[in-house]
Amino acid sequence: MPAAEPTLESLPSPFLRYFLATRPAFLSVTFIACLIGIATAYAGGLPIATLPALATVVFALVAHAGVNVLNDYYDALNGTDDANTDRLFPFTGGSRFIQNGVLTKGETAVFGLVLFGVVMLAGLWLMHVSASGLFWIGALGLFIGWAYSAPPLKLNGRGLGELCVALGFILIAIGTDYVQRHGFSWLPVVASLPFALLVTNLLYINQFPDCKADGVAGKRTVIVRLGPGRAAKGYLLLGALAYGWLVIAVAAGWLPLAALAALLPALFSLKAGRHLLRHAHQPKQLLPAIQMTILAAISHGTLLAGALALGAWLAV
């Protein structure tokens, strides 16, 4: 049975309304990206500074929440969420808070900007306890999150949404590592790339139920440009790149042998990809594939972070 969409009557608490407007279930992937960044710092022989690590996680989640809220606002402006009749709530079609009258467009826009403002203030403190280079990592991350859906750039509507997501999640791992290391390292880039690609696959598959509405609204995503049939093959390509990079990184000695445990979720990705190939033109049939895509990303990232941390701990 599909989840019930939000209504003003079902959410009498203002706090609960604003909290759920952030789409908190989707913030788990940001938490995992932070774990990877903490694990790469630990694998680099650094003692973990607990308070900065916790602050980094919390405010990375707030940043992702802000991106989600502003994405809802801009998708309401361009009409794509209003036109979406093939949505699979809560996975596609936005939060439905604006469409169902839970929050107004104005309230949503202000909330998203407040969340971004909180992240900027937190970033100043994290720069103080870490190093000034964190400014550029955070600024680029917030810019990508804004430009993903906001005019005039509207990068997702120009077929660049997948690049935005991949870069965004790599930056989360880099920034989390940077706060601990007080400097840049290539290790979080190498380690987080497969996870970032698997999260990108989540965006990718979520755009199939949204394809018709996106096309009507002039939002030219990759799925709209290629059509669902041809675009379905791209899901398997992204998965192959993710798991293939992990193998290369281990073979090159950049990641420990134990990191190969993070290949196990490839079974979920493969099953989801096959399901997508069969049902690319049947949006209502894609729920199992979306759920397996989420499971693949979260389990891969968790296994990878665990392998990095365990390897470093055993080496002590």
Side-chain angles (χ1 to χ4, degrees):
M1 179 181 294
E5 293 191 3
T7 63
L8 190 58
E9 293 75 19
S10 66
L11 297 170
S13 166
F15 172 81
L16 190 58
R17 286 200 294 271
Y18 279 97
F19 174 70
L20 294 179
T22 67
R23 308 184 77 182
F26 289 92
L27 305 185
S28 58
V29 287
T30 290
F31 177 73
I32 299 298
C34 289
L35 287 185
I36 293 173
I38 291 171
T40 57
Y42 186 60
L46 299 171
I48 300 302
T50 305
L51 182 57
L54 289 174
T56 305
V57 172
V58 168
F59 291 109
L61 294 173
V62 174
H64 187 175
V67 171
N68 286 349
V69 171
L70 289 179
N71 183 57
D72 270 352
Y73 169 69
Y74 289 114
D75 277 353
L77 287 187
N78 63 36
T80 185
D81 285 348
D82 290 335
N84 197 329
T85 58
D86 290 327
R87 62 186 180 272
L88 295 175
F89 183 82
F91 301 104
T92 77
S95 71
R96 314 306 298 173
F97 273 59
I98 295 174
Q99 291 71 31
N100 296 351
V102 180
L103 294 175
T104 67
K105 290 179 184 177
E107 289 169 337
T108 302
V110 169
F111 183 40
L113 292 174
V114 166
L115 291 172
F116 266 37
V118 169
V119 173
M120 292 176 188
L121 291 175
L124 294 176
W125 178 77
L126 285 171
M127 284 171 53
H128 174 70
V129 300
S130 178
S132 59
L134 186 64
F135 171 84
W136 300 107
I137 299 169
L140 181 57
L142 288 178
F143 173 77
I144 289 172
W146 169 82
Y148 175 84
S149 53
L153 296 179
K154 298 185 289 188
L155 296 178
N156 190 33
R158 302 179 191 277
L160 297 173
E162 287 73 17
L163 179 62
C164 288
V165 170
L167 288 176
F169 280 89
I170 291 172
L171 284 170
I172 292 170
I174 292 173
T176 308
D177 178 277
Y178 188 99
V179 169
Q180 299 296 321
R181 196 183 296 270
H182 300 185
F184 175 78
S185 168
W186 282 104
L187 182 56
V189 180
V190 171
S192 66
L193 178 58
F195 175 72
L197 290 172
L198 294 179
V199 176
T200 300
N201 244 353
L202 177 57
L203 165 74
Y204 195 77
I205 196 170
N206 280 355
Q207 291 176 135
F208 281 81
D210 296 346
C211 179
K212 187 184 298 182
D214 286 343
V216 169
K219 190 175 174 181
R220 303 276 295 164
T221 65
V222 172
I223 315 305
V224 172
R225 291 166 185 267
L226 295 179
R230 283 197 299 167
K233 299 173 184 177
Y235 181 96
L236 291 171
L237 176 61
L238 284 170
L241 289 173
Y243 297 111
W245 176 257
L246 178 62
V247 172
I248 290 171
V250 171
W254 301 330
L255 296 177
L257 184 63
L260 291 178
L263 288 174
L264 292 174
L267 297 173
F268 299 127
S269 297
L270 179 60
K271 189 172 181 180
R274 292 174 62 185
H275 188 94
L276 176 61
L277 287 174
R278 289 195 300 269
H279 300 289
H281 293 280
Q282 300 168 292
K284 298 297 185 183
Q285 302 298 317
L286 293 180
L287 184 58
I290 291 172
Q291 291 170 328
M292 282 185 284
T293 302
I294 295 171
L295 184 59
I298 290 177
S299 55
H300 165 85
T302 303
L303 287 168
L304 179 60
L308 289 168
L310 181 62
W313 182 71
L314 292 175
V316 174

